Amino acid sequence: MGRVVVGVAVTVAVVTCAVAAVVVGRRVKSRRKWNRVANVLREFEEGCDTTVGRLKQVVDAMAVEMHAGLASEGGSKLKMLLTYVDNLPNGTERGTYYALHLGGTNFRVLRLHLSGQPSLDLEHEVERQPIPPHVMTSTSEDLFDFIASSLKEFIAKEDGSNSNISLERRDLGFTFSFPVKQMSVSSGLLIKWTKGFSIGNVVGRDVAACLQEALARKGLDVRVAALVNDTVGTLALGHYCDPDTVAAIVIGTGTNACYLERIDAIIKCQGLLTTSGRMVVNMEWGNFWSSHLPRTSYDIDLDADSPNPNDQGFEKMISGMYLGDIVRRVILKMSLESDMFGPIFSKLSTPFILRTPLMAAMHEDNSPDLREVARILEDIFEIPDLPLKARKIVVKVCDVVTRRAARLAAAGIVGILKKIGRDGSGGITGGRSRSDMKMKRTVVAIEGGLYSSYTLFREYLREALNEILGADIAKHVILQVTEDGSGIGAALLAASYSS
């Protein structure tokens, strides 16, 4: 009997030890799994680090590249394109003006009524039209005749009939969101088509002239008074609302910047004269690059997999087109390092499947159980039942990506301010100390959903601006959200250059 008891006790002890070993083993395995995920996160955070010192290096690099781009063609990653816009709207404009915006598979027609008094609530009407797919690959005549016909119908609705629409001269701003070499404020040669357009007999031609000819064919007495891109339109709208506006930033799906530069600082166009002594320069800052930018292996892989490798490096780190995919790549790496997200889901390997608005929704999920994070991960990646701990890690990855993007955008803005002597340092060649400077009120117009709709991005950008400039200088810099620079801004420029 005693032997039986001893045997049972030994068996129980062995089973207990075995169970304990299994439990301990699972705990050790789980701990190792989480440690691997934590290591991926820590390395990513370190790679994205944007200390104030590093941001100031980016500021200096931006200002230097701007200077080089103004000195000679091809002298910088920044194209620093002349726009020939030297007369920005100021609120005294009066009359009715039009704008066309061709930016992709849709285009917009806009009518703007100006009273001669500055107003923050501008009276305007807008219509949107899809471009028929066959027109996008047809001829220049088909494309511009279609646009002109739509404008004719839009004007006819105002007049009530087609009978007298040609009797009154109208001025138009044309926002053309494709690569163009600007020749004057109202003319520019198409460099190449993008966004699904492929009309061979337009490349190398003046797109404003193509539109002007189509308007004449339709019997419209409408003059293309200004050919602009959306960033220049944003500056025009900002300046109309506030004459202290000196620069404009678009930061949405893509990103770009323009600013007012002194004519004598544009060395590559010596002898160019303007009545104002200034000109708007289109930076094309998405292509900015510097060794001081905090680039990670995920950025390198994204660039290599993109349609334009080694191009638009700054844009790929700060704009809405790319932020969601950086987050996806980090989550994929964590999945490969551990089974935290379960089996490797094929959708997690699909580039650009996570759009930045959804990334922002996860980042700003304030629910205790992060239910929005769980919903998006299941909807997009088909990852079910993710534990709360893993959801928190996803939110942290979103935070790291967004914070880096916003802080780098802030450094870019300060780089512009430094170049024009509005950062409190006296400019790129200035030698005066901050105590010698009387800081002017400086307004930067900003457009784009990444800034206007993403609260944490906006807060991180403003925070970095304060850190770089210091509170005493930063309080003089106003970031002013604008809306529809590509439409209203273009119509305002038509008013500025009205005959």
Side-chain angles (χ1 to χ4, degrees):
M1 183 67 180
R3 290 178 180 176
V4 171
V5 171
V6 170
V8 170
V10 170
T11 301
V12 169
V14 169
V15 171
T16 302
C17 288
V19 170
V22 169
V23 171
V24 170
R26 285 177 177 173
R27 287 178 177 172
V28 169
K29 186 178 179 181
S30 177
R31 191 176 298 115
R32 286 175 180 168
K33 173 182 72 175
W34 287 105
N35 283 343
R36 286 195 294 270
V37 170
N39 286 338
V40 172
L41 180 59
R42 185 180 65 254
E43 290 174 5
F44 182 58
E45 280 190 275
E46 291 172 354
C48 291
D49 193 27
T50 49
T51 62
V52 177
R54 172 171 249 171
L55 292 177
K56 288 183 176 179
Q57 289 175 319
V58 174
V59 167
D60 291 341
M62 179 69 80
V64 168
E65 286 295 307
M66 291 172 70
H67 190 77
L70 292 172
S72 62
E73 292 292 349
S76 166
K77 277 279 196 180
L78 297 174
K79 292 185 173 65
M80 305 301 285
L81 302 174
L82 304 187
T83 67
Y84 298 92
V85 173
D86 66 326
N87 181 27
L88 289 170
N90 57 23
T92 61
E93 295 79 11
R94 182 187 299 274
T96 299
Y97 300 91
Y98 293 80
L100 284 173
H101 179 206
L102 181 62
T105 55
N106 293 280
F107 79 97
R108 294 184 305 140
V109 188
L110 178 142
R111 179 169 43 241
L112 178 66
H113 306 282
L114 299 173
S115 65
Q117 296 292 328
S119 172
L120 297 178
D121 185 20
L122 291 167
E123 182 188 352
H124 65 285
E125 300 90 40
V126 184
E127 279 191 5
R128 291 169 174 81
Q129 289 267 9
I131 301 282
H134 73 275
V135 172
M136 296 170 63
T137 56
S138 185
T139 65
S140 66
E141 289 78 12
D142 286 344
L143 173 64
F144 289 105
D145 280 357
F146 176 79
I147 294 172
S149 294
S150 299
L151 177 61
K152 184 174 184 177
E153 291 175 9
F154 183 71
I155 293 174
K157 291 176 185 177
E158 177 190 22
D159 292 346
S161 71
N162 281 304
S163 58
N164 296 316
I165 61 174
S166 64
L167 299 181
E168 181 184 345
R169 176 68 172 267
R170 295 169 171 87
D171 286 308
L172 170 82
F174 185 23
T175 302
F176 188 74
S177 298
F178 299 89
V180 163
K181 181 180 180 181
Q182 199 93 18
M183 304 304 291
S184 71
V185 72
S186 59
S187 65
L189 309 181
L190 176 65
I191 297 171
K192 65 177 179 179
W193 285 112
T194 57
K195 308 173 188 177
F197 282 77
S198 181
I199 304 173
N201 68 337
V202 184
V203 175
R205 292 174 60 190
D206 180 0
V207 292
C210 290
L211 176 59
Q212 192 72 70
E213 291 165 6
L215 295 171
R217 285 195 294 270
K218 297 301 177 182
L220 289 171
D221 189 10
V222 176
R223 183 180 72 104
V224 181
L227 175 68
V228 300
N229 73 8
D230 51 359
T231 315
V232 177
T234 297
L235 179 56
L237 178 55
H239 195 272
Y240 175 87
C241 297
D242 192 323
D244 289 333
T245 303
V246 297
I249 314 296
V250 171
I251 185 157
T253 304
T255 185
N256 192 15
C258 68
Y259 73 105
L260 269 171
E261 180 60 273
R262 299 187 336 269
I263 271 294
D264 61 355
I266 307 176
I267 301 169
K268 62 184 177 183
C269 287
Q270 285 183 334
L272 189 67
L273 298 176
T274 66
T275 54
S276 66
R278 302 184 299 175
M279 183 184 290
V280 177
V281 174
N282 171 19
M283 293 174 61
E284 293 293 338
W285 85 345
N287 205 42
F288 169 68
W289 187 252
S290 164
S291 60
H292 299 300
L293 292 172
R295 199 183 198 199
T296 68
S297 60
Y298 307 99
D299 300 300
I300 294 170
D301 291 343
L302 182 150
D303 180 59
D305 294 341
S306 71
N308 55 341
N310 301 314
D311 196 27
Q312 299 296 102
F314 193 51
E315 181 171 83
K316 288 171 182 172
M317 298 178 82
I318 72 170
S319 78
M321 178 72 185
Y322 302 98
L323 300 189
D325 201 58
I326 298 172
V327 169
R328 178 196 65 82
R329 290 170 182 273
V330 178
I331 296 174
L332 177 60
K333 173 70 171 177
M334 290 175 171
S335 296
L336 294 170
E337 291 290 319
S338 76
D339 60 353
M340 182 184 80
F341 294 94
I344 300 299
F345 293 88
S346 61
K347 286 199 170 183
L348 202 52
S349 302
T350 305
F352 297 102
I353 193 172
L354 179 62
R355 294 169 50 247
T356 296
L358 292 174
M359 182 208 81
M362 291 195 295
H363 188 196
E364 298 187 324
D365 184 1
N366 293 320
S367 61
D369 58 351
L370 298 176
R371 67 177 69 95
E372 185 69 2
V373 175
R375 183 192 67 78
I376 290 171
L377 291 174
E378 184 164 8
D379 288 352
I380 302 302
F381 298 122
E382 298 177 354
I383 302 175
D385 306 320
L386 197 66
L388 182 59
K389 188 175 183 179
R391 297 178 208 176
K392 289 181 178 178
I393 287 177
V394 170
V395 173
K396 180 61 178 176
V397 173
C398 294
D399 186 72
V400 173
V401 170
T402 300
R403 186 172 186 270
R404 179 186 70 166
R407 290 172 70 82
L408 290 177
I413 292 171
V414 178
I416 296 173
L417 300 183
K418 183 181 181 69
K419 171 65 182 69
I420 61 176
R422 294 290 188 103
D423 70 329
S425 70
I428 189 170
T429 58
R432 290 178 289 177
S433 68
R434 292 191 170 204
S435 60
D436 297 328
M437 290 289 296
K438 181 172 175 25
M439 187 65 185
K440 295 179 180 178
R441 181 176 180 273
T442 299
V443 179
V444 178
I446 302 189
E447 185 166 327
L450 196 60
Y451 184 83
S452 62
S453 302
Y454 195 169
T455 303
L456 288 173
F457 183 95
R458 192 164 59 246
E459 290 175 352
Y460 280 143
L461 194 155
R462 185 76 236 189
E463 175 187 73
L465 209 67
N466 288 336
E467 290 178 18
I468 300 167
L469 291 171
D472 289 345
I473 300 297
K475 68 184 180 184
H476 297 286
V477 178
I478 293 92
L479 304 180
Q480 183 61 54
V481 175
T482 64
E483 189 174 341
D484 199 14
S486 59
I488 297 175
L492 285 169
L493 282 169
S496 293
Y497 285 91
S498 170
S499 57

